[in-house]
Amino acid sequence: MSTFIGRREFFSGIPKITYEGPESDNPLSFKWYDPARLVAGKSMEDHLRFSAAYWHSFCDDGSDPFGNGTFIRPWNVTDPMAKAENKADACFEFASKLNLPFYCFHDIDAVDEGSSVRESESRLRAVTGMLKERQEATGIRLLWNTANLFSHPRYMHGAATSPDFSVVSYAASQVKAALESNVELGGENFVFWGGREGYTTLLNTDTKRELEHFARFLTLARDYGRNIGFTGTFLVEPKPMEPTKHHYDFDASTVIGFLRHWGLDGDFKLNIEANHATLASHSFAHELRIASDAGMLGSIDANRGDPQNGWDTDQFPLVLYDVTEAMLVVLSQGGLGSGGLNFDAKLRRSSIDLEDLFIAHIGGMDCFALALITADRIIREGVLSSFVKKRYRSFDDGPGRRFEEGELTLEDLRDYAVENGEPARFSGRQEMLENYVAHRCTAR
Ligand code: XUL
Ligand code: CO
């Protein structure tokens, strides 16, 4: 991928980031991410399918609930279309310098919302043209886009689950336009993150009706997308709470049950985010495993939370052990297919330099690259898989197998218990397995 410079160069002091290996001290180099390196017969680039997130990298101003923005970004100008074009240039220069093959965006990240549905539609159409030109110039592709149905005050009671039909309709207009933009850009997935789809109190909420509306809304979006030629995967991104007290898309299990109940599981998969998993009191790997077991792990929002803070801190992934556990799931299911690893991660508000954006992504990319190498080695060694297989061996033949095949009754199980008496105990060897994985994370 050659370096793309648009009308303006925004990261002029920063060269193309290259692989220099683990001995390099250069913060602007990859220590582990070597795109062409083969792991399990596939290049790292094809395994990891990294993506830039427009909202954090090109829209965030560093503000938080207690303070104003701290970032001064050269692409931020007043005129909305000029700003949109600047951001498109910044995104494609950034991604090409970092070797990120994909990008992701919400409709209003790409261009500010207009003052009417029609104006928003025409702005998004115009910016879609700008993005398409830059995709063609660079080869960088759209991993997914989505509609922001949570920032505008109209969505204060929800979007697809708002008690007000005019709000549901407005949300639909945004999804329709975002789907059209996706098809024009050849997007590989389309995401729904229901930031306001939930409640802040049960006292004013008809949860049954809202969930029915939610399913209807997703069904209409699915049908429209398929009609206009979207052949990619629809993704729902679970998160348990924040900004609402309770999100309907609480976690992977909840979303899988919902999609299956409403017959949407043929078109929809899950976009699992690490920090959303921990907010739901699950590990990142747990959410990936549950989605993967259901055949519904579609894509990943790569980040990490802070172990002490209770909210979504969206930090860049750096904890090798956790990311290795995650990559074990991804590799075991044969990869993410049309999904990828999107850095839904942001700089701390005091990291104000443009260089910080590069350094943060480099750290996340290196962490996933090393986790990929480590997970591949663990899988090849087979210690974990043979341990697990052995742990369940009582179901491999005899009555255990007949139980699995549905051939035994409850009375049969009781008779087996009578005959065999108190079961023998055996160790789960958890510490041994944890030590093994920890050792693989340090051994080179
Ligand atoms: C919010 C979040 C979103 C989604 C896209 O917590 O993760 O940025 O990824 O709407
Ligand atoms: Co996310």
Side-chain angles (χ1 to χ4, degrees):
M1 198 192 288
S2 64
T3 303
F4 169 82
I5 309 293
R7 286 168 319 139
R8 280 179 65 189
E9 185 174 12
F10 289 106
F11 307 101
S12 54
I14 299 183
K16 192 168 169 65
I17 309 299
T18 57
Y19 172 74
E20 292 184 7
E23 301 309 320
S24 169
D25 290 326
N26 175 9
L28 289 173
S29 74
F30 294 120
K31 316 296 175 299
W32 294 102
Y33 184 56
D34 182 4
R37 173 168 170 180
L38 291 181
V39 178
K42 206 160 81 174
S43 72
M44 274 194 167
E45 180 169 7
D46 290 344
H47 273 287
L48 297 168
R49 295 168 61 87
F50 287 129
S51 169
Y54 230 87
W55 54 104
H56 287 310
S57 294
F58 314 112
C59 305
D60 186 25
D61 65 358
S63 57
D64 70 13
F66 299 92
N68 298 339
T70 52
F71 303 155
I72 296 165
R73 299 306 195 207
W75 47 82
N76 264 335
V77 293
T78 320
D79 177 69
M81 293 317 294
K83 181 168 71 181
E85 187 155 22
N86 280 348
K87 283 196 278 187
D89 279 336
C91 174
F92 282 83
E93 182 192 340
F94 180 76
S96 67
K97 284 188 167 168
L98 261 176
N99 236 320
L100 294 165
F102 290 98
Y103 73 111
C104 293
F105 70 97
H106 300 80
D107 47 359
I108 65 166
D109 304 334
V111 59
D112 294 349
E113 185 168 356
S115 53
S116 66
V117 169
R118 280 187 211 286
E119 191 184 17
S120 296
E121 285 171 348
S122 77
R123 282 188 182 182
L124 186 61
R125 236 175 269 129
V127 85
T128 298
M130 296 176 193
L131 295 170
K132 193 172 179 179
E133 277 173 22
R134 286 156 180 80
Q135 285 188 192
E136 280 161 7
T138 59
I140 294 168
R141 293 179 284 157
L142 179 63
L143 184 65
W144 52 261
N145 69 331
T146 183
N148 177 321
L149 307 179
F150 44 90
S151 294
H152 194 282
R154 80 174 72 88
Y155 297 124
M156 66 180 141
H157 303 290
T161 62
S162 170
D164 180 351
F165 177 62
S166 62
V167 175
V168 176
S169 306
Y170 216 103
S173 78
Q174 278 186 246
V175 169
K176 176 178 176 290
L179 281 165
E180 288 161 7
S181 169
N182 181 300
V183 170
E184 183 67 22
L185 296 171
E188 306 204 9
N189 307 273
F190 186 88
V191 163
F192 291 89
W193 173 62
R196 304 272 171 198
E197 315 295 15
Y199 59 79
T200 53
T201 173
L202 283 173
L203 299 177
N204 64 12
T205 306
D206 185 338
T207 45
K208 183 168 187 291
R209 212 163 174 186
E210 290 197 1
L211 279 162
E212 285 164 5
H213 293 173
F214 202 7
R216 170 90 55 210
F217 188 93
L218 295 182
T219 305
L220 295 178
R222 188 264 322 262
D223 293 345
Y224 185 73
R226 294 298 183 224
N227 277 339
I228 63 168
F230 174 66
T231 54
T233 308
F234 290 96
L235 298 169
V236 172
E237 182 175 325
K239 183 176 182 180
M241 65 196 89
E242 196 206 17
T244 71
K245 169 183 166 57
H246 174 89
H247 287 346
Y248 292 130
D249 295 328
F250 192 88
D251 62 1
S253 289
T254 311
V255 174
I256 291 164
F258 174 87
L259 293 172
R260 284 180 173 164
H261 179 74
W262 294 101
L264 293 165
D265 49 317
D267 297 275
F268 282 77
K269 289 186 174 174
L270 274 60
N271 184 40
I272 297 295
E273 177 164 327
N275 204 165
H276 296 180
T278 51
L279 261 179
S281 300
H282 301 309
S283 68
F284 182 25
H286 165 95
E287 286 292 84
L288 295 170
R289 176 79 80 86
I290 295 295
S292 180
D293 285 349
M296 291 171 80
L297 172 56
S299 201
I300 290 178
D301 268 12
N303 62 15
R304 77 176 202 275
D306 178 288
Q308 281 75 47
N309 294 161
W311 63 90
D312 196 9
T313 59
D314 282 344
Q315 287 163 260
F316 281 82
L318 274 187
V319 182
L320 182 61
Y321 187 98
D322 295 350
V323 178
T324 299
E325 267 202 89
M327 287 312 294
L328 282 171
V329 180
V330 172
L331 277 180
S332 301
Q333 74 158 31
L336 288 169
S338 71
L341 290 161
N342 166 51
F343 286 109
D344 192 354
K346 65 183 177 196
L347 294 175
R348 299 308 91 186
R349 71 196 292 270
S350 52
S351 301
I352 59 172
D353 294 343
L354 292 177
E355 193 172 314
D356 292 319
L357 264 182
F358 281 83
I359 292 170
H361 281 79
I362 290 167
M365 293 164 80
D366 273 337
C367 181
F368 267 92
L370 183 50
L372 169 69
I373 296 168
T374 312
D376 171 54
R377 178 169 175 194
I378 289 173
I379 288 172
R380 278 188 290 106
E381 287 175 350
V383 173
L384 295 184
S385 55
S386 62
F387 190 89
V388 172
K389 178 141 184 26
K390 214 168 128 204
R391 192 158 176 260
Y392 293 86
R393 65 172 175 250
S394 65
F395 293 96
D396 289 346
D397 44 39
R401 179 163 185 166
R402 285 170 51 224
F403 163 80
E404 278 196 346
E405 288 169 353
E407 285 169 14
L408 299 186
T409 64
L410 195 67
E411 297 97 304
D412 293 333
L413 267 59
R414 180 258 171 204
D415 293 346
Y416 184 87
V418 169
E419 232 171 82
N420 287 270
E422 186 58 33
R425 297 177 193 188
F426 57 92
S427 172
R429 292 268 189 268
Q430 180 168 336
E431 293 77 7
M432 181 190 83
L433 299 173
E434 286 172 346
N435 291 356
Y436 165 69
V437 173
H439 183 52
R440 283 295 166 266
C441 286
T442 52
R444 302 281 165 262

